[in-house]
Amino acid sequence: MSSSLQGRRVLVVGRGSGIARAVTLAVRAAGATVVVAGRDAGKLAGSYEDPGIEAEAVDLTDEASVEALAERLGQVDHVVSTASARARGQVADLDHDTMSLSFSTKVLGPILLAKHLAPRMPRDGSFVIFSGSSARKPAIGMLAVAATNGAVDVVTRSLAVELAPIRVNAISPGTIDTGAYDALGEERKAALFEHRGQTNPVRRIGTADDIAEAVLFALTNTFLTGVSLAVDGGEPLV
């Protein structure tokens, strides 16, 4: 059974670009009003020109900030957290603060959102948080990312049980062309995308819209909970 987003209020935590933006626009197009939240509310507000999209400030690594956001918002129907912090690198190059920030943002942050927002949500509300394919396919240089994503998968199942009947699901993307790989430089990024696009079963790299469609499914399918949806083109299979 599916539920409409028409007239519902959805919180989307993340940047004003990439996956968070695609999710915001898809949710808005489905009839919901949207609150976008991130560290820089002013920058977020400037990313959208729609009275049905309002911007708020939040720092997921600061419980007081999350609690204050919940108090300002009052009731919301659904929560989507796309926020993350990079922690790539081989084990010899990783440092405590980088790994801690990754875990605090992507694992502890959603737990804090659940703590402060779930009591204000209706029984048919839901959370959608973000994992990643590295939890299923280890790769050199992705240890901390994989550990963080694996923890998200556990949090998803645990919260689904504890918050029931509020639903909790995760989206687990593979390689998505959103700008997250720009730090590699044009040549290395192009080579990586070409290799993965040629070797995964769907023979292409994912898009932000692919992920947004999966988020809409997770938000509206009322018989789906405790699941990490792999939207990765079958990348871990090869």
Side-chain angles (χ1 to χ4, degrees):
M1 182 178 179
S2 294
S3 174
S4 171
L5 292 180
Q6 188 70 40
R8 308 304 290 270
R9 193 179 190 209
V10 180
L11 170 66
V12 179
V13 181
R15 301 181 180 91
S17 59
I19 288 174
R21 181 177 181 82
V23 169
T24 296
L25 295 178
V27 168
R28 180 69 181 126
T33 58
V34 186
V35 179
V36 291
R39 290 175 181 267
D40 190 337
K43 186 175 181 180
L44 275 176
S47 300
Y48 302 97
E49 295 182 1
D50 184 333
I53 302 175
E54 59 181 297
E56 287 279 356
V58 71
D59 178 355
L60 292 188
T61 68
D62 179 356
E63 182 169 5
S65 176
V66 176
E67 184 177 14
L69 173 67
E71 290 175 352
R72 292 196 303 272
L73 292 183
Q75 181 173 314
V76 295
D77 297 291
H78 301 279
V79 176
V80 181
S81 179
T82 71
S84 65
R86 285 184 187 160
R88 293 177 184 161
Q90 295 188 35
V91 65
D93 301 319
L94 291 170
D95 63 81
H96 178 276
D97 289 348
T98 298
M99 293 185 288
S100 180
L101 180 60
S102 175
F103 198 84
S104 292
T105 303
K106 205 169 184 181
V107 181
L108 301 184
I111 292 175
L112 293 175
L113 288 171
K115 175 181 177 179
H116 293 288
L117 285 166
R120 305 166 185 269
M121 292 169 65
R123 289 170 59 85
D124 64 347
S126 74
F127 287 85
V128 176
I129 61 180
F130 270 70
S131 176
S133 63
S134 60
R136 301 183 302 283
K137 185 176 183 179
I140 294 173
M142 297 293 283
L143 169 61
V145 178
T148 300
N149 288 334
V152 172
D153 291 339
V154 173
V155 167
T156 299
R157 295 191 295 272
S158 298
L159 283 178
V161 173
E162 186 164 339
L163 299 183
I166 291 175
R167 297 180 299 105
V168 183
N169 293 292
I171 304 299
S172 186
T175 305
I176 310 297
D177 187 6
T178 62
Y181 292 86
D182 290 352
L184 294 175
E186 288 189 18
E187 285 190 18
R188 289 179 62 197
K189 175 183 172 180
L192 174 70
F193 280 13
E194 182 178 5
H195 171 71
R196 293 188 180 175
Q198 289 178 348
T199 57
N200 72 28
V202 300
R203 300 295 191 266
R204 70 173 177 86
I205 297 302
T207 68
D209 287 339
D210 290 325
I211 305 304
E213 289 177 9
V215 171
L216 285 180
F217 173 70
L219 290 173
T220 58
N221 189 301
T222 60
F223 204 56
L224 184 77
T225 195
V227 170
S228 294
L229 287 173
V231 189
D232 56 18
E235 188 176 310
L237 300 175
V238 296

